[in-house]
Amino acid sequence: MSLEEPIVSLDEASVTAEELQDAMEAEEEGEEEEDMDVGDDNENIQETSAKFGVYSADEVNIEVFEELQLPLELAQEVQDAWKYLLKTLVTHEAAGEAIYSALFEASPAIQPLFKTPRAVMALRFMTGINQIVQSLDKSSELKTVVETLGFQHLDLDVTVPRVHIFRDAILELVVTEIGDRVSPVCKDGFAVMLNYVGGAYIYVRSKFSVQLKILHSSWATASKGAAGIQNAEETGGSKSETLQPAGSTKGAKEGKDSRDPKKTSASYQSEGRNTAVPKNFEEMFQFNAAVMGLGKNGWMNEILSSFDAIVMNVANTFRLQEECDVVSLRMAKYSKIVLSEYKAVMLASLRSLCKDWGSEHELAWSWLWENVERLLKNLMGKPALQEAALSGLLASLDDSALSLIRREVYSQFFALAPAGQEYFKQSTTRLHFIADKVVSMTLEMYREPKRMIEDLSALGLRHVGYAIPTELFGPFVTACVQVVHSLGPAQDAEEAFRWSLNLLTRVLTRVINEGSTVVMKAINANSDRMLRKAVACAPRGQRALWSLNVQVGTQSISPLLWALESGSLEAAKAILNDLLTIRADRDRYYFGADMLFERHPDIIKRLATDGPSLLPTLLDGLIWRSRITQGGRRRVVFYIKNFIINTDGSFARNLEWLFDCNNPSLVCHALVSTCTDVVWSRVAFRDFTTSRLWFLFTVVLFVLSQSILNHLHNGAIGQNPEGLRITIFFVRCFLYLFSMGTLWFRNIVGIISDYRSGAVVKRGPLKFPEYLMLWDGAARMVLAVLLTLMLSLEPVIHCLGDPTALMFAERCSAVESLYKWYSWTSCTASFVYFLLLTDLAVFSTRFSAYTLVCSRAIVDLFLWACGGLFVTFAFACCVCSLEQDNAEFHGIPKSTFSLMKVTFKMFSGESLSNLEEHSVLLGVVGMYSVVSVIFLLSVLVAQLSCAYKVAHQDMMGLARLHRIRVICDTMATCKAARWARFVDSLHLDERVEFGEGDIGLPGGIPIWEPASLHITTVDMIKRYGGSTNEEEQWPEEPIADNEDDRFDRVEKLIQKSMKRIAKGGGSAGGSKMTSSVGSMSMGSSMGASGA
């Protein structure tokens, strides 16, 4: 939630005096009928006459704005009652809803004024009132809080009658919920506080609204340059031009690009050298500084870099103080600082940029600078001294002192705030690390304030996801200061530590408050219902942005990623469904897919890692199917643009990340299948075929040289004709040079690339590249080694040195002992060549699926072979231990070989008849036949059948996985020009028709599918009538309750009714109220049961 937005709203639009008077008269006449449950409490409230200084419980003072001095006992009683109210309402969200309902129902006249979404407004009510109550016992802090809130309500027409309505509604809620805990004095305290707040709003609006409007409008003109001037002239310089929403990244990007003084200062460092025309405040400031001889004052750049934040937060006292404190730290490294020089350059620059500059502008900007100068002067000269003192203190701490700080900080913190124990759940060592980090950060804030602010912003956004209350930061700071004080440091060192720690806490508190949006709260609760209600509050033009970005300063956090990382998968699924739902009004379509992939290009990888169950949700959301069929076919649009194309136009890695999931059913999804088929057929097929044609050519040459040419001649082996011998020699030389050389080059490149990128697999103490863990990579390495061995054993080369051998002969006396090894190596290489050829099955998914099923069955075949060898060896040993003289079973080797022939029906009948002479041997061989032939082969058949049945279910998925890997490998070498032509041929920038004359969204490819393939009975596009303004939210959609939500709501209604019954007693008003509430509760119960 942005602090620039109103937190506590007494009103949301202006109403004429006549309407307000009529509404007040209607309230007076119908009060008893509309709000019977209030009873006599309002009368008692109106009769109060408690007074504290110039403020009282029954009057709103709009003449002065001073500190509210409540007695400490009364302030504590009000705070205790407020805490009990929050405890009664269970959660802050429920308390906000109760406050919203009380205000909404307080008067019929103000109901049309509640235009901000209910969830957002309820959260603002709760946060604002909670800030006020928590500061009630500190008058100076309370005034600052109320003044800041008053500045944020300058656009609202706050009046005394509306303050009365607001006050009475809040008091009625407090009395209704916790009437037994609220004394008359406590009610007076609440009334005085609410009157004080309302009077302050009116006072601040009457004193400062004109000046702040002038500042905002003129700054919009100056900071945006020529574009800002044109916009200001067209719109009158409205405030909305300068303010960006809390979740907007546009404002942050513009600010980062245009407000870096280091980029613009180089052109204006010396007079007379610049030729560029200043277009905005930064450039004009640098130009005027150079002209006035102040261009070398580096401290001005420090203020200039933060000046936008200063101007935009001039109405936020806390933020203005924070910005000035940080600027003071950054200016501490400069020796000579004259703040009046900055004012002169600032006013000169503004006069040049603002065409309507006048005396009112002069007064407004002078007033701003006086406030800033006062805050800066309060710290000038102090940061350097405080840094030295704090550095000396931390350097003097020994291990025992640091150990004491680590222990005592948490002991005192838990004593001050026992609720903090529920949030510090980490181990003791982790808590000690946090304490050390806090101490070191206090010194780093003095040394590197800019970096620390960025680090704190990122840390605060992470704490938003942890849902840690900011009320705990105060006690934690107090505990840290008390522990450091107990060490007895010098006063200046202790003050330096306290000031720095206080600044750290203020930054963290601000970031957490700004980042605590209704979406983040719903994610913390992991509630689908809360998430849908939260995003329903967003303007239709920013709805996707609310779910994807929470921006605080230069840091941002993604609610979607936080939901994934924190395990809130229900909320993450709701976000994906909302982003990928197509909504439409008469003017335009709204679809969050482009923003999703732009914000998170690696969303597929994130989901595969943290939420694989959400991948089908994402893929389903990228498909649109028409409800209407035509000629038995249905119109379908696959939005594949972001799936296959990166933001820079290159091939996306989404298919690669899906392959890493190794999920056969997932890659059979219609969107993935369509993407792979399109990329394969139009791009990868040709490149893959070209690369495999070379390999196929080398296989043909290998078969020619090793298996065909050397057997063409009918003569003796090695006595081929001379022409044939020459041909064989040159073919083999070609294979050794190009095939073997290409294989080694590819293997070495793949291995080095994996080691450089860290893509390794650890096996014990060794690390192997992933390239060798894939079967084809390992096969290529084996083939390269085999070809190298063949080259070393090549008989033609060895026979060249034999003078008796023919030229290029394969057989000679020198190779008689080597030829056998060469032939075995050649046989193995031939097998590996053909094994790699199975990769060509990717041309057809059916062939590919069959080869993959076969590869799955090889494992079972290997297990059967191992079992068969074990049984064969066992029976061979048994046979050899018998007293027999059969030559077929003489020794273990012969026995094993003979038994294997029995298994494969290769044992001759004559040898079998010889076994009849040895009945025991015949019986052992018969038993072996039963075990190996009948039992083991039957088990093999059963295993293969089961393995095929399991593999067949994922057969097509496995084939598509294989094709995806081939596509990814092929696209890595695809030329950029060819890819660009392919992208252009898809026409993804053209809008696709949803129907005749209905031009839809770009980024998809339309196809027609059979109407019965995916039956769709509901329109997948949610269409709305009414206004088409992008700033308005979509009409409210009904959100179905689950059983738990229904019964929880009924239970709360019953509890509330029982409280009112107990409070109402036997009075007539109480009876009437009880009857009304009872009827309402019964009706709700019946409705919930019926639902």
Side-chain angles (χ1 to χ4, degrees), residues 451-463:
R451 180 182 63 82
M452 282 302 303
I453 293 299
E454 294 180 355
D455 293 346
L456 287 172
S457 298
L459 180 64
L461 286 176
R462 289 199 299 271
H463 279 71

Side-chain angles (χ1 to χ4, degrees), residues 883-993:
E883 184 180 357
Q884 49 87 17
D885 56 357
N886 193 307
E888 299 285 345
F889 295 93
H890 184 69
I892 293 179
K894 285 188 176 183
S895 299
T896 301
F897 184 70
S898 298
L899 291 175
M900 291 179 65
K901 289 195 295 184
V902 171
T903 302
F904 296 107
K905 303 300 178 66
M906 298 171 61
F907 203 66
S908 64
E910 181 181 355
S911 299
L912 185 61
S913 62
N914 293 333
L915 295 179
E916 296 178 357
E917 301 176 1
H918 303 280
S919 57
V920 178
L921 177 60
L922 180 62
V924 172
V925 173
M927 187 181 300
Y928 170 79
S929 299
V930 171
V931 173
S932 63
V933 177
I934 299 177
F935 178 73
L936 287 181
L937 285 179
S938 299
V939 171
L940 174 62
V941 172
Q943 280 182 310
L944 293 177
S945 299
C946 294
Y948 181 82
K949 184 178 180 180
V950 173
H952 185 269
Q953 298 175 354
D954 298 328
M955 184 170 62
M956 296 305 296
L958 295 172
R960 289 200 171 275
L961 276 174
H962 181 54
R963 175 170 285 186
I964 288 174
R965 188 172 71 85
V966 172
I967 289 174
C968 294
D969 293 341
T970 305
M971 293 307 298
T973 59
C974 179
K975 295 182 179 179
R978 176 169 169 74
W979 172 253
R981 289 195 300 270
F982 162 71
V983 172
D984 292 339
S985 68
L986 295 178
H987 303 290
L988 294 176
D989 293 331
E990 299 178 3
R991 300 172 66 183
V992 182
E993 280 191 348

Side-chain angles (χ1 to χ4, degrees), residues 96-157:
E97 287 285 344
I99 295 172
Y100 185 96
S101 299
L103 296 174
F104 188 80
E105 298 169 2
S107 173
I110 67 172
Q111 289 182 2
L113 307 180
F114 286 74
K115 297 180 180 179
T116 302
R118 183 184 184 106
V120 177
M121 205 64 222
L123 182 62
R124 294 177 186 172
F125 281 136
M126 177 59 217
T127 305
I129 297 177
N130 190 58
Q131 281 183 319
I132 295 169
V133 174
Q134 296 299 330
S135 306
L136 200 57
D137 55 345
K138 298 180 281 291
S139 57
S140 60
E141 182 178 337
L142 175 64
K143 182 181 179 183
T144 304
V145 170
V146 174
E147 182 183 31
T148 301
L149 295 176
F151 280 126
Q152 295 171 2
H153 289 77
L154 292 176
D155 289 341
L156 304 179
D157 187 16

Side-chain angles (χ1 to χ4, degrees), residues 358 513 750 807:
N513 288 334
M807 184 177 62

